[in-house]
Amino acid sequence: ISESPFLRVRNLRAGYGPARVLQGVDLEVEEGEMVAVLGQNGAGKTTLLRALSGMVRGRGSVGLRGTELLGRAPEEVARRGVGHVPEGRGVFAPLTVEENLRVGAHLRPGSELAEDMRHVLSCFPVLRAHLSQPAGNLSGGERQMLAIGRALMARPRLLLLDEPSRGLAPLATRRLFDVLRAISTRERVAMIVVEQKTQLAAEFAARSLLMESGRLVTPGTAGASGDPSAPGARRWHGS
Ligand code: ATP
């Protein structure tokens, strides 16, 4: 029996009611690999992440280490190792930072709460000083770290990140991606990162893919028209 790839997506179709957004997405991701998904507004990037985490119904196949994820409830997909950090970094503002992190831990049965907390705070040391403060008091960058930290509490093997750089200053963005890269390489957590900042994505991700007409294509190849207005678009070619 040949070994299944870590994540294998085949002919994934999804949408909202009669509106079909994903028209047949094919994608393979290796353990610990960071893949960026680029594309214009409305192309379906967010829908792809939702379909992968079970938040919208998909058809086709999503295999994680050979196990089919399609048709499972979002909780169960999460329990199988898929963490989703939606756009807008939805943390619970009235809860403290620590309470927010504890919410993330309940998805992993038998989790070592203290150990997981230590692990997350080692990734994002800045959160330590704010543990007992309401999450609503955090800066945008800190809130994004908290949202990612909450997902990490469940010790995911695949992390889905929807525009983590949105609203962050360049320095905060860079720091965040440094941490993400460390987590993906050191702990072999695979990541699919939806990004508008194409140059950043090209710098940090192992591969960049373009969402176009509901499918994923490799930028600069036949079938990909590219987005000439996007900054850094030329870097795609030949890289
Ligand atoms: P953006 O960067 O603007 O979020 P995107 O590439 O992530 O773009 P999606 O959010 O996946 O795109 O949206 C793809 C299409 O699906 C768009 O036409 C959008 O209007 C539509 N859509 C998104 N969410 C819903 C929803 N909950 N109900 C109905 N249609 C939706």
Side-chain angles (χ1 to χ4, degrees):
I1 307 163
S2 70
E3 211 180 307
S4 330
F6 177 71
L7 177 74
R8 177 155 63 189
V9 179
R10 284 284 175 272
N11 194 22
L12 177 61
R13 289 150 286 147
Y16 307 91
R20 190 188 255 201
V21 177
L22 304 182
Q23 307 278 355
V25 168
D26 293 309
L27 170 68
E28 284 188 17
V29 180
E30 290 170 34
E31 197 169 18
E33 189 184 22
M34 192 195 286
V35 175
V37 172
L38 318 171
Q40 293 176 344
N41 287 346
K45 306 179 296 296
T46 294
T47 304
L48 171 63
L49 299 192
R50 288 180 184 152
L52 294 177
S53 67
M55 290 172 66
V56 304
R57 190 186 302 273
R59 302 180 63 187
S61 171
V62 175
L64 186 74
R65 289 168 160 157
T67 300
E68 182 59 51
L69 294 184
L70 283 192
R72 298 181 194 271
E75 270 239 340
E76 206 190 324
V77 174
R79 245 185 260 118
R80 285 173 185 270
V82 179
H84 188 173
V85 184
E87 59 191 335
R89 52 186 100 105
V91 299
F92 303 109
L95 298 187
T96 67
V97 168
E98 183 171 356
E99 287 163 342
N100 268 276
L101 292 175
R102 283 168 178 268
V103 169
H106 86 280
L107 285 168
R108 202 164 71 102
S111 69
E112 291 292 330
L113 187 67
E115 188 195 318
D116 290 345
M117 191 75 81
R118 257 198 307 278
H119 168 248
V120 166
L121 294 175
S122 76
C123 294
F124 300 112
V126 69
L127 294 180
R128 193 182 293 277
H130 301 291
L131 271 180
S132 56
Q133 290 176 24
N137 289 3
L138 299 180
S139 72
E142 290 162 349
R143 232 174 300 166
Q144 184 61 270
M145 291 181 215
L146 177 58
I148 296 168
R150 188 175 58 192
L152 289 176
M153 286 295 287
R155 298 261 181 174
R157 303 311 304 155
L158 169 66
L159 197 53
L160 310 172
L161 297 143
D162 205 340
E163 280 196 59
S165 77
R166 179 177 250 167
L168 299 193
L171 186 61
T173 298
R174 192 155 279 283
R175 284 202 187 122
L176 182 68
F177 270 83
D178 277 332
V179 175
L180 292 177
R181 180 155 63 186
I183 294 167
S184 76
T185 55
R186 252 199 341 246
E187 295 162 42
R188 313 285 295 146
V189 176
M191 299 188 188
I192 301 177
V193 187
V194 165
E195 253 312 328
Q196 294 286 351
K197 296 175 182 150
T198 56
Q199 219 156 342
L200 181 83
E203 184 182 339
F204 280 89
R207 275 188 293 146
S208 299
L209 298 170
L210 186 64
M211 179 68 78
E212 203 174 73
S213 310
R215 292 189 176 82
L216 278 182
V217 296
T218 303
T221 59
S225 62
D227 177 10
S229 67
R234 295 196 154 274
R235 291 168 57 113
W236 294 341
H237 296 278
S239 65

